[in-house]
Amino acid sequence: MEHFRSFLEKVNLVYYSLDTQGTIVHSNDYFLSYLGYSREELIGQNYHDLLVPGHEREKRRQDYFKSIRTKQLNTYYERDLLTKSGQLKTLRWDCMFEYGPDGEIIGVTSVGKDMTDKRIAMEALKDNKIRLQDLFDNAHDLIQNISADNKFIFVNKAWKDRLGYDDTDIETLSLNDIVH
């Protein structure tokens, strides 16, 4: 575990370890700077009370205790953390149990990668797609997008209304079927 922790000090991944009560017992410097805490402010604090957004706190705390009790861990997931300044950060986590010398679970170690920018970009793309769809659907022009083999990828509402087709027709038709 010490070799693993040493390795994690050298990469831009956040890392922390919790004991079975959810107390933060280890973290790398990158995690500290990422959250804006000093080692003294973070180590020894309850992870859920300090870093989990309020509306998720109790559920995530209970899930953590359940995973310790049942010895079943969700090893890969995406979750939000609060920084010292109150900013919400999204991280993708990989987790594993940490075992003591007698094979008992003594805590959980988690390694995470920041996904905040990716989440923001995905939301912006989704918003742009909705706006573009709205523009196409409210246009009076007939708009279509076809593949190299003349299959329809997309047609707008005006296209379907004027030509008398519906979504199920579009799935089976090609441009050759409707153009002489």
Side-chain angles (χ1 to χ4, degrees):
M1 206 56 196
E2 288 305 316
H3 291 306
F4 182 61
R5 288 187 183 121
S6 175
F7 166 74
L8 289 172
E9 286 296 337
K10 298 174 176 90
V11 296
N12 286 337
L13 295 172
V14 297
Y15 147 76
Y16 68 87
S17 289
L18 306 179
D19 66 14
T20 56
Q21 297 306 304
T23 302
I24 304 166
V25 292
H26 294 286
S27 78
N28 63 353
D29 291 337
Y30 186 69
F31 188 57
L32 295 171
S33 64
Y34 179 78
L35 294 175
Y37 285 101
S38 68
R39 190 166 299 283
E40 293 75 27
E41 292 174 307
L42 193 69
I43 303 300
Q45 298 299 313
N46 183 279
Y47 170 85
H48 299 96
D49 292 338
L50 188 64
L51 303 178
V52 176
H55 66 281
E56 298 177 12
R57 193 168 290 147
E58 279 312 306
K59 167 112 174 69
R60 284 177 52 184
R61 185 188 321 267
Q62 293 309 313
D63 289 347
Y64 181 76
F65 291 140
K66 181 180 178 186
S67 68
I68 299 289
R69 190 176 62 254
T70 63
K71 299 179 181 179
Q72 293 181 338
L73 187 62
N74 186 3
T75 58
Y76 182 76
Y77 54 88
E78 210 170 275
R79 296 257 170 79
D80 292 333
L81 283 184
L82 285 172
T83 66
K84 185 176 180 179
S85 66
Q87 187 178 13
L88 203 60
K89 297 280 192 171
T90 302
L91 293 105
R92 182 170 291 153
W93 296 102
D94 286 293
C95 302
M96 63 183 174
F97 285 123
E98 197 170 329
Y99 296 94
D102 297 326
E104 76 281 7
I105 294 174
I106 60 171
V108 174
T109 294
S110 300
V111 178
K113 178 177 169 65
D114 186 0
M115 302 302 287
T116 307
D117 292 340
K118 185 176 181 179
R119 179 181 50 99
I120 290 168
M122 293 297 285
E123 288 173 7
L125 282 173
K126 183 179 174 183
D127 185 48
N128 285 344
K129 182 181 181 223
I130 290 168
R131 288 180 192 196
L132 193 56
Q133 183 72 44
D134 186 51
L135 174 69
F136 285 162
D137 282 343
N138 291 314
H140 297 292
D141 295 330
L142 303 172
I143 301 172
Q144 65 188 22
N145 185 10
I146 58 171
S147 64
D149 62 350
N150 285 338
K151 297 283 186 189
F152 291 104
I153 296 170
F154 168 82
V155 297
N156 69 341
K157 184 177 180 326
W159 191 99
K160 289 184 273 189
D161 290 347
R162 287 213 188 120
L163 298 177
Y165 294 105
D166 62 25
D167 288 335
T168 55
D169 296 325
I170 303 306
E171 293 173 9
T172 59
L173 289 173
S174 72
L175 188 61
N176 297 343
D177 295 327
I178 63 166
V179 176
H180 299 291

